[in-house]
Amino acid sequence: MAIKQELLDNLRKRREAASIGGGQERHDKRRDKGMLSARARLDLLFDSGTLQEWGQHVDHSCHDFGLEGKSLPCDGVVTGVGLVEGRSVGAFSQDATVGGGALGARHAKKICDAMDYAAECGMPFVAINDSGGARIQEAVDSLSGYGQVFYRNVMLSGCVPQIAVIAGNCAGGAAYSPALMDFLIMTRENANMFICGPQVIKAATGVDVTMAEIGGAEANGAVSGNVHFIADNDEHALAITRDLLSYLPSNNSQDPPHMPTADIAMDKDELMNALVPEDHKEALDMYAVIDRLVDQGRFLEVHKSFAPNIIVGFARVDGIVVGLIANQPQVKAGTLDIDASDKGARFIRFCNAFNIPLLTLVDVPGFLPGVAQERGGIIRHGAKMLFAYASATVPKITVITRKAYGGSYLAMCSRDLGADIVLAWPTAEIAVMGADGAVNVLYRRELADAEDKAARRKELVEEYRERFASPYMAASRGMITDVIEPSETRSIVSLALRNTLNKRLTRPPKKHGLIPL
Amino acid sequence: MTAPAGGVSAKANIPMKKLRITVGKKTYDVTVEVLSDDTPSGVRAAPATVGAVPSVAASTPTPTAATPPGAAAPGAVVSPMAGTVKTVEVKEGDEVAAGDVLIVLEAMKMENKISAPKAGVVKSVAVTEGQGVQDGQELVVIE
């Protein structure tokens, strides 16, 4: 009395055929280029052996162009759910050895089913992209399949975290699914993402351009900012994915995975005082501050190569997960420009959607002056920072380290934009404008009449600096919670995080605000 | 477009340039009169920059993008923003290591250190102390 052996043999045979996908030869070719198979990628994403595959026995539904009678195992995509550090995560991984990983109707349905499941069960969704694009033989069914995936990307947005890994081709319309997701991770070699490739660009515009220049990891990561993380290879890309997930809640109704320490160390960190240059014109290295501020110096930086004048990323402070936004005065003096504003605002909105407290480190001299900035719409882009911070209801803690001037002071989560706690170092300079500029305007006549213009000017600048370029003018008006030593920053921020963790703020009901896009 | 044949201008002193233009699949040879040179002697025009300029971050080197078409010359370190050259720390022929300060640029209430993105020899220095520079303007070329 046991199940018939031939039934088991049949199942095993089918499983084996599915796992080989498009055949060993194609896998070998890819391996030579350093590319892993669709299944190997999922194995790296999930805790060992936890993948529950969905629809392993699905095949294509095409009856034209010679595809009838041919088999496309799994219809070119492996989908399912697995565990990452014990938490459920939905995923798909396209198999480029099967019909180039091209998307047909059943392929799309598998992806959609997995996405629906992730949404209903409230789990993050990871998309591993490696596809030649639409399956041409399936014509508008393929196109429709993309549309259905895009629609679900939008439905899932803000409900569960969505992470796209670009580990092969991702061209044309296919690029819009990752673009609708929260974080894009791209491998440095072997991956491309673009709308119109070099040939199309050449035909339409006559311009010669290489694939690397428009669709490579560097172009997407550092120039256009489409991609948030550049990975050295497939293994690295999936390690980043797991690391990223370790900071994120499974869905928007949960808190992120805080791991609060039993005690908060209230001792001073004297080395933090030593990081601050004596000369106010010398740039502080914000990375050094972050390194001392966060647990074990562990900081998962997002968008590292894009707009490096602002730094964003995830970390923990005494176990509490924070989204960190910081100006980097060592690049473009830490000014806010178009790209920095886009980068900052997008990150802030992600954190707010997923209940991640915002920790803002300010050292900003202003918005970047320039013709290209004005004509490029710095007003519209800079406004995104104001909108994102003001609309965020998560705990908002701001540390003004040095410069905080004019509109950019407001844009870096000032008290007026709803910061719960604003801490300022004694080196903070909170003012409408820099001393030189202010003196020119305020004392124009006096300077014109002065005998020794330069000397008088210097005197006035010093006077202005002393009076206004300090935290105390703002503190006297209640715009600062407290002025603290740099050495006290970690302990006081940690305390502030504990104090604000139960913050619940409601806003008037509406369909959605209108962030200036 | 009409132009005197042979590349000799009717008006003296106006230089002529011969250019070949391809429109679609047709090729035309044209001769143009150069009425104004865009780099007048003595004044150095800021090089046009398209897309990202090579990174000049001080101690945080960022991966530089593939050189976009029309970007500054290879090895050129360009100004990250408009400002005034406070000091020039290198001269022609100096050997520099990656990260060495080349120029200190006063801009946005800061003295910004412009560092060498790579090791090499300073081929030319295009600016002097006190000079105002624009975003994307060539400062130093390293070979």
Side-chain angles (χ1 to χ4, degrees):
Chain A
M1 283 296 285
I3 185 166
K4 272 189 194 169
Q5 189 57 39
E6 63 181 273
L7 292 177
L8 294 180
D9 291 344
N10 183 21
L11 174 60
R12 280 176 200 150
K13 233 167 64 190
R14 283 171 183 270
R15 281 184 173 173
E16 203 171 306
S19 72
I20 289 172
Q24 196 56 47
E25 203 178 308
R26 288 182 184 156
H27 284 296
D28 291 345
K29 249 192 206 163
R30 286 164 54 85
R31 193 184 311 127
D32 293 344
K33 286 197 280 182
M35 297 172 87
L36 296 175
S37 73
R39 281 167 199 281
R41 286 168 175 168
L42 288 177
D43 282 346
L44 282 176
L45 171 64
F46 293 128
D47 300 346
S48 182
T50 62
L51 168 66
Q52 168 59 62
E53 194 174 340
W54 280 40
Q56 188 177 70
H57 308 284
V58 170
D59 209 318
H60 68 88
S61 54
C62 185
H63 305 289
D64 298 304
F65 304 107
L67 268 185
E68 62 274 17
K70 275 192 186 167
S71 173
L72 292 174
C74 302
D75 206 26
V77 63
V78 184
T79 64
V81 56
L83 300 180
V84 176
E85 299 293 329
R87 296 191 301 158
S88 302
V89 173
F92 75 75
S93 180
Q94 291 176 314
D95 186 348
T97 68
V98 178
L103 181 141
R106 296 250 170 93
H107 179 127
K109 182 172 186 305
K110 283 180 71 176
I111 292 175
C112 290
D113 285 348
M115 292 179 81
D116 290 343
Y117 179 81
E120 281 163 22
C121 298
M123 66 181 72
F125 193 75
V126 175
I128 304 174
N129 293 267
D130 186 355
S131 164
R135 188 178 296 152
I136 298 163
Q137 294 91 332
E138 296 197 34
V140 288
D141 284 340
S142 299
L143 196 59
S144 165
Y146 276 121
Q148 291 173 27
V149 174
F150 298 166
Y151 185 82
R152 280 164 179 80
N153 282 135
V154 176
M155 290 303 108
L156 265 60
S157 182
C159 291
V160 297
Q162 298 185 81
I163 301 168
V165 177
I166 318 296
N169 289 316
C170 187
Y176 282 119
S177 176
L180 290 166
M181 300 179 84
D182 306 323
F183 295 103
L184 284 77
I185 301 163
M186 188 164 180
T187 52
R188 197 181 298 279
E189 314 287 339
N190 299 324
N192 292 304
M193 186 170 70
F194 54 88
I195 300 299
C196 298
Q199 287 173 334
V200 174
I201 290 176
K202 172 78 178 166
T205 68
V207 174
D208 276 310
V209 68
T210 65
M211 178 59 83
E213 282 168 334
I214 55 155
E218 294 293 346
N220 275 299
V223 183
S224 63
N226 290 330
V227 161
H228 301 83
F229 299 91
I230 298 174
D232 295 332
N233 50 36
D234 288 7
E235 288 88 346
H236 187 212
L238 292 155
I240 293 170
T241 310
R242 287 177 64 97
D243 198 10
L244 181 55
L245 286 167
S246 77
Y247 293 101
L248 311 183
S250 292
N251 59 64
N252 66 333
S253 70
Q254 292 183 356
D255 279 337
H258 299 307
M259 297 187 275
T261 50
D263 296 308
I264 297 174
M266 291 307 295
D267 39 341
K268 289 187 180 183
D269 175 6
E270 296 296 343
L271 280 173
M272 195 72 116
N273 282 352
L275 288 181
V276 188
E278 210 178 306
D279 181 354
H280 64 91
K281 286 189 168 182
E282 195 181 321
L284 173 81
D285 180 6
M286 198 55 93
Y287 281 114
V289 174
I290 294 170
D291 189 51
R292 299 211 68 79
L293 188 58
V294 303
D295 293 355
Q296 291 96 40
R298 283 193 58 198
F299 176 54
L300 179 64
E301 188 173 1
V302 175
H303 252 153
K304 186 177 182 154
S305 352
F306 181 63
N309 37 336
I310 197 165
I311 301 168
V312 303
F314 298 105
R316 284 186 171 83
V317 178
D318 279 330
I320 307 297
V321 174
V322 293
L324 213 145
I325 303 100
N327 309 110
Q328 169 58 304
Q330 295 201 335
V331 182
K332 290 187 184 175
T335 49
L336 287 177
D337 59 4
I338 288 171
D339 286 348
S341 301
D342 281 4
K343 169 176 165 179
R346 177 173 174 143
F347 183 73
I348 293 160
R349 278 164 63 84
F350 176 85
C351 291
N352 187 49
F354 290 102
N355 314 314
I356 298 169
L358 296 169
L359 174 55
T360 306
L361 306 179
V362 185
D363 190 351
V364 64
F367 283 96
L368 180 66
V371 176
Q373 290 292 312
E374 295 296 331
R375 289 178 63 87
I378 183 62
I379 294 176
R380 176 163 58 91
H381 292 278
K384 294 176 192 177
M385 287 291 282
L386 295 162
F387 197 106
Y389 269 129
S391 56
T393 56
V394 289
K396 294 188 277 195
I397 293 156
T398 303
V399 182
I400 303 175
T401 63
R402 302 175 89 202
K403 293 177 172 57
Y405 280 98
S408 65
Y409 150 67
L410 294 173
M412 289 304 292
C413 206
S414 56
R415 183 81 185 88
D416 301 300
L417 290 195
D420 299 293
I421 293 177
V422 180
L423 305 165
W425 288 358
T427 42
E429 306 167 23
I430 307 164
V432 174
M433 62 196 294
D436 292 286
V439 164
N440 282 345
V441 176
L442 295 171
Y443 302 102
R444 186 182 320 201
R445 187 154 300 166
E446 188 179 334
L447 280 172
D449 296 344
E451 268 178 40
D452 186 345
K453 286 184 181 57
R456 181 67 190 135
R457 202 164 180 289
K458 206 174 159 206
E459 228 173 74
L460 289 167
V461 165
E462 271 316 303
E463 237 177 73
Y464 182 94
R465 269 197 63 77
E466 206 150 291
R467 191 141 169 244
F468 294 95
S470 90
Y472 298 108
M473 181 63 83
S476 75
R477 286 153 171 79
M479 295 169 189
I480 304 291
T481 313
D482 203 359
V483 182
I484 63 167
E485 272 187 41
S487 64
E488 299 167 318
T489 308
R490 181 173 151 91
S491 54
I492 293 180
V493 162
S494 181
L495 200 57
L497 284 166
R498 299 293 170 106
N499 287 334
T500 51
L501 216 49
N502 291 327
K503 177 184 177 187
R504 290 291 180 268
L505 202 60
T506 51
R507 292 286 162 87
K510 53 186 161 184
K511 283 176 87 170
H512 56 75
L514 295 162
I515 189 164
L517 292 174
Chain B
M1 194 179 294
T2 55
V8 179
S9 173
K11 288 167 252 168
N13 299 331
I14 296 179
M16 307 296 291
K17 264 190 184 168
K18 275 193 162 180
L19 299 174
R20 180 162 294 167
I21 297 174
T22 308
V23 180
K25 283 182 180 162
K26 279 199 156 179
T27 302
Y28 303 88
D29 283 344
V30 295
T31 310
V32 292
E33 291 181 355
V34 181
L35 297 178
S36 71
D37 195 318
D38 48 12
T39 49
S41 59
V43 182
R44 192 177 200 100
T49 52
V50 179
V53 294
S55 169
V56 287
S59 69
T60 53
T62 52
T64 41
T67 310
V77 176
V78 302
S79 181
M81 57 191 158
T84 308
V85 176
K86 187 170 167 74
T87 55
V88 177
E89 306 285 341
V90 290
K91 57 183 190 309
E92 213 177 294
D94 280 1
E95 261 186 58
V96 292
D100 282 359
V101 177
L102 307 172
I103 301 272
V104 175
L105 180 75
E106 198 155 30
M108 295 309 291
K109 314 171 186 80
M110 305 281 291
E111 286 168 5
N112 305 276
K113 290 172 181 156
I114 313 297
S115 310
K118 56 168 188 182
V121 175
V122 176
K123 191 186 166 200
S124 61
V125 177
V127 292
T128 54
E129 285 175 12
Q131 185 182 334
V133 293
Q134 288 303 311
D135 170 25
Q137 184 169 341
E138 183 183 301
L139 303 172
V140 175
V141 176
I142 298 175
E143 251 184 359

